Amino acid sequence: MKIIKDVLEEELRKALLVQEGHEKALSALPRGVLVKKLVKGYQYYYLMSREKGSVRFEYKGKLLGKDIKYYDTVRKDRARYRQLLSEVKKRIAFIKKTLRGKELRVA
């Protein structure tokens, strides 16, 4: 049983490192979603984000195609990291629950 417990503890350490890496990558990405508004026939872009329960718009101006693609890829990366982070947290919870369990007694 000691071998299995050691393997689970090692897996828990690895999962915690992966979680930390995903959280760092997620915090490095700019927050918010790019929103296009039409004002008097012209398109302007704003970065919409939430802060303490309120919605905040940051003016970005008239953006080029490459800038729009950048914010689109950031949005997709953020969604991917959130999904990966959720999976890692579930794995960590499962491993911790398994490690807390009582050891089997061999008769």
Side-chain angles (χ1 to χ4, degrees):
M1 290 306 272
K2 175 106 170 95
I3 296 172
I4 294 173
K5 190 173 182 180
D6 290 342
V7 169
L8 285 173
E9 287 173 350
E10 179 64 28
E11 186 63 29
L12 179 62
R13 280 191 289 274
K14 288 180 183 177
L16 288 171
L17 286 175
V18 169
Q19 179 186 9
E20 184 180 326
H22 290 329
E23 287 173 347
K24 281 183 182 178
L26 196 57
S27 66
L29 294 174
R31 295 188 54 135
V33 175
L34 196 65
V35 177
K36 175 175 56 173
K37 291 189 177 187
L38 194 63
V39 179
K40 295 183 182 179
Y42 296 101
Q43 293 180 355
Y44 298 98
Y45 291 91
Y46 294 83
L47 192 62
M48 181 180 71
S49 61
R50 291 188 179 272
E51 285 185 11
K52 300 177 184 175
S54 64
V55 179
R56 182 172 166 258
F57 289 92
E58 181 183 338
Y59 179 69
K60 291 295 180 181
K62 297 179 181 180
L63 296 179
L64 301 175
K66 65 179 182 176
D67 296 327
I68 296 169
K69 282 184 180 180
Y70 168 73
Y71 283 107
D72 189 44
T73 57
V74 165
R75 182 183 54 84
K76 289 177 183 176
D77 288 345
R78 189 179 314 106
R80 184 172 52 93
Y81 278 120
R82 283 183 180 157
Q83 177 66 31
L84 291 171
L85 192 59
S86 172
E87 292 171 4
V88 167
K89 285 181 178 180
K90 287 177 186 176
R91 186 174 355 142
I92 289 171
F94 175 76
I95 293 171
K96 285 182 177 180
K97 185 177 172 182
T98 305
L99 284 171
R100 276 193 308 265
K102 294 182 180 178
E103 292 183 15
L104 296 174
R105 294 184 181 168
V106 179

